[in-house]
């Protein structure tokens, strides 16, 4: 089963991520840092993906280097424990959602980036 989110563009959700964290006193640069940490994209690479309106599926498929430390991301997002999501692409998307949530909740960046 293909989930609708797979074909949605990251560019359509990205402003929602930024708005969510800005309401809590964080900023767009921190959202970008989280995305780059998770995926290995450079800032330019991330901007290109956003400009090209890459789908979530393409964005993660083309990610230069998924961070091995992402498996340390645990907890509940959208009512499911991220670490138990079996579908690999959905798990990657939920990792990103969880990181943005942690940022919005005021968690320290070094903890978000699992340092």
């Amino acid at each position: 089963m293909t989930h609708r989110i797979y074909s949605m563009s990251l560019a359509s959700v990205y402003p929602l991520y930024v708005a969510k964290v800005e309401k809590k006193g964080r900023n767009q640069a921190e959202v970008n840092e989280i995305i780059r940490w998770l995926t290995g994209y450079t800032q330019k690479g991330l901007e290109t993906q956003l400009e090209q309106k890459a789908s979530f599926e393409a964005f993660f498929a083309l990610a230069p280097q998924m961070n091995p430390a992402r498996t340390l991301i645990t907890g509940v997002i959208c009512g499911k424990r991220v670490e138990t999501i079996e579908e690999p692409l959905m798990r990657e998307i939920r990792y990103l959602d969880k990181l943005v949530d942690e940022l919005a909740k005021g968690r320290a960046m070094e903890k978000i980036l699992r340092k």
Side-chain angles (χ1 to χ4, degrees), residues 2-14 16-17 53-60 89 93-94:
T2 302
H3 298 275
R4 203 181 73 185
I5 190 150
Y6 295 176
S7 60
M8 288 175 66
S9 72
L10 174 66
S12 68
V13 178
Y14 178 80
L16 304 175
Y17 288 152
K53 297 185 173 18
S55 68
F56 273 99
E57 189 168 26
F59 177 76
F60 283 107
L89 179 57
I93 294 167
R94 295 305 178 215

Side-chain angles (χ1 to χ4, degrees), residues 7-36:
S7 60
M8 288 175 66
S9 72
L10 174 66
S12 68
V13 178
Y14 178 80
L16 304 175
Y17 288 152
V18 173
K20 179 177 188 168
V21 304
E22 285 179 342
K23 274 193 283 201
K24 302 291 185 167
R26 302 306 281 262
N27 62 56
Q28 181 176 355
E30 291 173 304
V31 173
N32 293 345
E33 184 178 352
I34 283 170
I35 295 172
R36 291 192 320 263

Side-chain angles (χ1 to χ4, degrees), residues 45-59:
L46 172 58
E47 290 166 9
T48 299
Q49 292 296 312
L50 291 169
E51 287 163 16
Q52 293 178 351
K53 297 185 173 18
S55 68
F56 273 99
E57 189 168 26
F59 177 76

